Amino acid sequence: MTDQAPSVESDIPGKPTSASRTTLSHIMTHNDTNLLGTVHGGVIMKLVDDAAGAVAGRHSGGPAVTASMDEMAFLEPVRVGDLVHVKAQVNWTGRTSMEVGVRVLAERWNESDPATQVGSAYLVFAAVDSDGRPRQVPPVIPETEKDKRRYQEAQIRRTHRLARRRAIMELREKRAAEGFED
């Protein structure tokens, strides 16, 4: 693979992965807990969406909306007093959409132990104009070997998303033709 992203028809210059990479940090409080006393998954998901949205907006140079969230994995519980770091970057771009990869790390606010990974997710964002219509995004230019690997993995996830959507639509059409209503 070259240093350039595979060509996507674009008249917008590409941007390197590092141009929009972002970290959002937040200390978890009692307001963030669930009935088990750990931080609610929805709180983590909101932080993930916030960080990913910032990255998508930075990369695309304007508004971008969440189209889907894939593979949200919670690896370890997060506790009150944890300092959570949500790290996000654009992994892949299409013509009007982009995949943002997110890693969630946590460390005790008052300890010097290294942060541990507690979650990860992949989100797809669509860039939109002021009327809410899709608009073109700059291609992402992977810079490091990790960036190149993430780009390739994102292409695989995209292929799977599209195949899943196609299979579901075909099943719905078949069921409708057989007279079943959903």
Side-chain angles (χ1 to χ4, degrees):
M1 179 182 256
T2 67
D3 286 343
Q4 296 293 318
S7 65
V8 171
E9 293 299 320
S10 176
D11 50 358
I12 301 174
K15 287 186 178 179
T17 306
S18 61
S20 57
R21 192 175 284 139
T22 298
T23 300
L24 172 68
S25 297
H26 187 78
I27 193 157
M28 298 291 108
T29 68
H30 288 285
N31 292 336
D32 302 315
T33 60
N34 59 27
L35 296 175
L36 298 175
T38 56
V39 172
H40 196 289
V43 170
I44 300 299
M45 290 174 75
K46 177 161 182 358
L47 293 173
V48 164
D49 191 45
D50 287 347
V55 165
R58 283 175 141 187
H59 182 83
S60 68
V65 296
T66 310
S68 70
M69 178 184 271
D70 285 356
E71 300 179 37
M72 180 70 215
F74 297 101
L75 307 173
E76 298 284 336
V78 177
R79 302 172 293 159
V80 169
D82 281 353
L83 180 57
V84 172
H85 308 285
V86 183
K87 298 178 176 282
Q89 74 172 49
V90 173
N91 290 336
W92 175 90
T93 52
R95 195 176 71 73
T96 61
S97 65
M98 61 209 110
E99 182 193 270
V100 178
V102 181
R103 288 184 42 209
V104 183
L105 304 145
E107 61 182 309
R108 296 305 294 166
W109 69 276
N110 61 348
E111 297 175 8
S112 59
D113 293 336
T116 58
Q117 186 171 352
V118 296
S120 65
Y122 300 101
L123 296 88
V124 176
F125 279 79
V128 295
D129 65 17
S130 59
D131 295 321
R133 290 184 302 245
R135 63 181 175 80
Q136 195 172 2
V137 300
V140 67
I141 302 170
E143 299 172 281
T144 67
E145 287 305 314
K146 277 186 181 180
D147 293 341
K148 292 172 186 176
R149 175 186 53 79
R150 289 175 177 145
Y151 187 96
Q152 291 171 326
E153 291 173 358
Q155 287 178 303
I156 293 168
R157 282 186 292 275
R158 180 176 188 272
T159 299
H160 288 205
R161 276 191 295 273
L162 293 174
R164 183 177 58 235
R165 182 184 311 152
R166 204 170 26 256
I168 289 169
M169 295 310 294
E170 288 171 4
L171 177 63
R172 288 180 180 176
E173 288 172 10
K174 179 182 175 210
R175 289 183 52 79
E178 292 171 351
F180 294 103
E181 290 186 35
D182 289 336

